[in-house]
Amino acid sequence: MDEEQIYQEHVLDHYEDPYHRGRARHCTHAHEDDNPLCGDTVSIELNIDPQGRLREAYFDGDGCCISQASASMLIEKFDGRTVDEVRRFTAGDMLELFGAKLTPNRQKCCLLPWRVLQSAVFSPVKPAEGAGGKESNS
Amino acid sequence: MTDATCSPPSLDPQTIRGDFPILSKVLHGGVPLVYLDNAATAQRPRQVIQAIVETYEQHYANVHRGIHWLSDQTTDLYEQSREKVRALVNAPTPAEIIFTHGATSSINLVARSWGDANVRRGDEILLTEMEHHSNLVPWRQLAERTGAIVRHVPVTEQGTLDIEAFNALLSEKTRLVAVTAVSNVLGTINPIGEIIAKAHQAGACVLVDGAQSVPHLKIDVQALNADFLAFSGHKMMGPSGVGVLYGRRELLESMPPFLGGGSMIRRVTLDGFEPADLPAKFEAGTPPIVSAIGLGAAIDYLNQVGLDAVTRHEQDLTRYAHEVLGELGELRILGPAPEEKSAIVSFVFHGNRPHAHDVAQLLDRNGVAIRAGHHCAMPLHKRFGVNATARASFYLYNTRQEIDLLARSLQQVRQVFRRRT
Ligand SMILES: Cc1ncc(COP(=O)(O)O)c(C=O)c1O
């Protein structure tokens, strides 16, 4: 049954003991969004160096197990990776990373952090700071 | 307790369940459906489904149009349904019962027609923090069109309306008070009679959102002196796609038509039109004919069971649900005590973990259908500092056993998460 699969160990692990839930020390890029259908929120703070590498990656948020666990998985994967790699990471890749099979409704929960990260890499907190995103093209 | 001779007739949910084909459904290869999402929409008995089938098979044509036998038959059934609705809410005349497409379209009709004609810049529209989006957004839109000001009666920590605040907010500037009779999240039964009397003293009109009350509680628009009452057929065992607007005759007569088209006119020339009399004036186009006839069958069914018996049965279930869910010790139930509310129990786990969506998803394993989310009442959820709640809501066919299963399933939900912490 799908429901059995959703709440598998690795999903619950990320929900109960998330990777990098909190705030970046030197945040250069950040974005926050919600899923208006259910009210789940995810915010992501990044430190992107001039070479376009994510030196720090943190998330925070409030919502269901799916949205919060997928945020943790996503941040764990991209901590230390590059903006280019983020950009190449598709929604399909995100669902695959999550692993458990999801109904279309719950896919929206899973993709919320992915959407936030895609925007965050192009959202400098101060226009002058963080050379990262804008220059890198894939 | 009362002795047997004067105790009112009660209801046997097991007999009633036999009338509802969908309630014998088995899900996920072996678990029976436990339907606890009645505030979203109710199920319908065979009697209503049969009335719909019979109409299509035996009596279907357009209403008020053909000069032929079949059209007369359909028109009769449609008008009989209107009379049943009139009797249900005790409206003075059937002309004051307008068939719409649901509570939402009834409220929008009033906001557009009455609102645009009567509300001016600086006038105030008084709503409450516990309204459904369908009793918030149309008034916000009206305010944007007219420059009127929207105010909201706050909700207390117990989940009731702050009546002192209501008294203070009400003034000679208030043109309209729009309030739900029963909160779709908290279940709170609001003191509609008192609100209407005070609003009238202040010279304001009152629209009552009856979407969550008409299916469950007796309502008498004359005793209440309500100006408008809006509700939906699908929450009271009728078909979807039909709703009702009751309006006091003087008001409906003074209002301009809302939608224009066929049926709502007396005569049309190329230069203009003359609107039809009530209720046709507000029923432009082909109405939801069969849905309205089905709603009539649903009212027959409610009357046959007895609305009072339904109310009492639901009170028992609500009290029982508070008791067994309270025993779990890990839930925060929003809203007032069972005695002060209708058949709705919304809750969150302490600390909002597990989250309402995960709760609903895991309950579904056991066939238990509840709703999770903001239930179209985002401002109310904000008021209580949560972005989602789980909501179990009952109707005449629900049983104590189903509530036991809900409680057991909630324990299992907690187990899924607890073993890890
Ligand atoms: C209190 C309340 N008002 C209005 C509505 C809107 O009803 P409908 O969607 O049938 O138009 C609902 C339905 O959820 C409700 O609960």
Side-chain angles (χ1 to χ4, degrees):
Chain A
M1 213 185 297
D2 289 351
E3 291 77 16
E4 304 283 356
Q5 287 168 17
I6 293 179
Y7 299 95
Q8 34 184 268
E9 285 306 301
H10 86 284
V11 174
L12 290 168
D13 279 342
H14 277 278
Y15 180 61
E16 300 280 341
D17 188 14
Y19 180 84
H20 279 194
R21 181 190 271 279
R23 313 200 55 175
R25 252 171 316 135
H26 304 288
C27 172
T28 61
H29 291 68
H31 190 67
E32 178 173 359
D33 206 352
D34 61 11
N35 185 343
L37 272 180
C38 61
D40 285 9
T41 61
V42 168
S43 65
I44 289 177
E45 290 190 352
L46 306 170
N47 178 324
I48 303 179
D49 73 12
Q51 286 70 47
R53 191 167 289 280
L54 277 58
R55 291 288 164 201
E56 286 185 81
Y58 282 84
F59 83 98
D60 207 344
D62 181 21
C64 68
C65 178
I66 313 299
S67 70
Q68 304 303 303
S70 66
S72 169
M73 293 175 194
L74 184 68
I75 293 297
E76 185 179 56
K77 181 170 173 69
F78 282 98
D79 190 18
R81 308 279 276 272
T82 66
V83 170
D84 266 359
E85 287 173 298
V86 171
R87 292 194 50 188
R88 281 198 300 271
F89 193 70
T90 64
D93 296 335
M94 180 67 231
L95 294 173
E96 205 170 302
L97 173 69
F98 188 78
K101 199 166 148 279
L102 295 169
T103 58
N105 246 327
R106 298 316 293 275
Q107 286 182 7
K108 293 194 190 108
C109 308
C110 178
L111 292 176
L112 170 63
W114 173 81
R115 270 198 294 121
V116 174
L117 181 64
Q118 293 298 335
S119 299
V121 294
F122 298 113
S123 308
V125 284
K126 284 183 211 139
E129 254 182 71
K134 294 251 154 69
E135 291 106 53
S136 39
N137 266 311
S138 57
Chain B
M1 299 298 292
T2 48
D3 75 57
T5 50
C6 64
S7 72
S10 62
L11 143 182
D12 174 21
Q14 291 308 338
T15 312
I16 285 173
R17 293 177 76 82
D19 291 332
F20 290 77
I22 206 167
L23 295 181
S24 45
K25 237 185 140 48
V26 172
L27 316 181
H28 312 316
V31 292
L33 170 68
V34 174
Y35 188 75
L36 303 179
D37 195 14
N38 294 287
T41 196
Q43 300 299 345
R44 47 228 23 70
R46 200 171 274 117
Q47 288 85 335
V48 170
I49 298 166
Q50 207 46 49
I52 295 166
V53 171
E54 214 174 285
T55 303
Y56 278 125
E57 289 186 352
Q58 307 287 341
H59 312 289
Y60 183 75
N62 213 327
V63 287
H64 305 298
R65 290 196 184 167
I67 308 286
H68 54 77
W69 178 83
L70 202 53
S71 174
D72 288 344
Q73 289 242 310
T74 318
T75 306
D76 282 351
L77 288 171
Y78 182 70
E79 291 307 322
Q80 279 165 23
S81 230
R82 194 189 307 279
E83 169 55 27
K84 289 170 190 178
V85 174
R86 184 211 63 74
L88 179 74
V89 300
N90 194 31
T93 65
E96 294 162 293
I97 300 296
I98 315 289
F99 282 123
T100 66
H101 296 282
T104 303
S105 80
S106 300
I107 297 169
N108 277 278
L109 190 167
V110 177
R112 287 277 175 176
S113 169
W114 182 88
D116 283 2
N118 290 284
V119 174
R120 301 273 169 272
R121 173 171 301 280
D123 285 351
E124 294 185 3
I125 300 163
L126 188 51
L127 312 176
T128 84
E129 265 181 359
M130 66 165 81
E131 297 312 309
H132 187 278
H133 294 167
S134 65
N135 202 25
L136 291 172
V137 180
W139 307 116
R140 179 56 62 193
Q141 291 174 308
L142 173 64
E144 280 169 11
R145 289 196 300 277
T146 58
I149 297 157
V150 181
R151 301 200 183 279
H152 301 90
V153 180
V155 171
T156 66
E157 196 54 37
Q158 290 72 44
T160 55
L161 286 181
D162 183 339
I163 290 297
E164 281 182 17
F166 166 73
N167 294 339
L169 283 164
L170 196 61
S171 75
E172 71 284 355
K173 286 196 200 138
T174 314
R175 295 291 290 135
L176 176 86
V177 176
V179 57
T180 191
V182 167
S183 158
N184 70 313
V185 177
L186 306 168
T188 317
I189 300 172
N190 289 321
I192 293 300
E194 180 186 346
I195 289 172
I196 292 172
K198 286 179 175 163
H200 284 172
Q201 267 169 25
C205 242
V206 182
L207 176 137
V208 178
D209 176 354
Q212 295 294 347
S213 73
V214 174
H216 306 277
L217 304 164
K218 203 154 245 164
I219 193 163
D220 180 333
V221 292
Q222 292 188 71
L224 284 171
N225 211 2
D227 298 306
F228 297 107
L229 173 71
F231 57 99
S232 294
H234 67 94
K235 292 187 204 279
M236 52 189 297
M237 302 181 283
S240 61
V242 66
V244 172
L245 173 68
Y246 158 78
R248 270 202 300 118
R249 183 188 272 277
E250 311 88 271
L251 286 167
L252 292 176
E253 278 178 347
S254 71
M255 284 156 56
F258 170 42
L259 297 177
S263 301
M264 52 70 72
I265 42 80
R266 185 193 306 280
R267 127 177 357 97
V268 176
T269 63
L270 289 179
D271 303 325
F273 72 94
E274 213 180 294
D277 289 336
L278 293 173
K281 175 180 167 186
F282 292 107
E283 292 183 0
T286 297
I289 302 168
V290 180
S291 294
I293 294 169
L295 175 58
I299 292 171
D300 287 342
Y301 189 84
L302 259 182
N303 288 337
Q304 182 211 318
V305 175
L307 193 48
D308 287 334
V310 172
T311 308
R312 272 196 311 280
H313 176 65
E314 291 175 352
Q315 276 169 349
D316 175 68
L317 292 177
T318 306
R319 223 178 294 119
Y320 187 66
H322 271 241
E323 196 179 303
V324 296
L325 298 191
E327 278 164 12
L328 296 179
E330 307 192 46
L331 301 178
R332 171 184 172 206
I333 298 178
L334 279 75
E339 294 70 31
E340 292 171 61
K341 69 181 200 172
S342 185
I344 291 173
V345 181
S346 292
F347 56 90
V348 290
F349 273 94
H350 287 315
N352 210 12
R353 284 197 159 211
H355 188 274
H357 288 129
D358 300 315
V359 173
Q361 182 114 41
L362 286 161
L363 290 185
D364 181 63
R365 279 188 195 180
N366 292 350
V368 179
I370 62 157
R371 173 123 184 229
H374 53 61
H375 321 302
C376 299
M378 289 173 93
L380 182 66
H381 279 74
K382 189 156 191 279
R383 156 72 185 80
F384 283 97
V386 290
N387 60 19
T389 53
R391 178 182 74 185
S393 52
F394 317 123
Y395 211 5
L396 68 173
Y397 37 66
N398 290 121
T399 65
R400 282 183 170 222
Q401 289 88 313
E402 289 180 308
I403 293 170
D404 288 332
L405 183 66
L406 168 68
R408 272 205 306 284
S409 306
L410 285 170
Q411 269 172 325
Q412 288 170 13
V413 169
R414 194 64 197 90
Q415 250 16 72
V416 170
F417 291 89
R418 179 187 283 131
R419 69 196 157 85
R420 324 183 39 81
T421 45

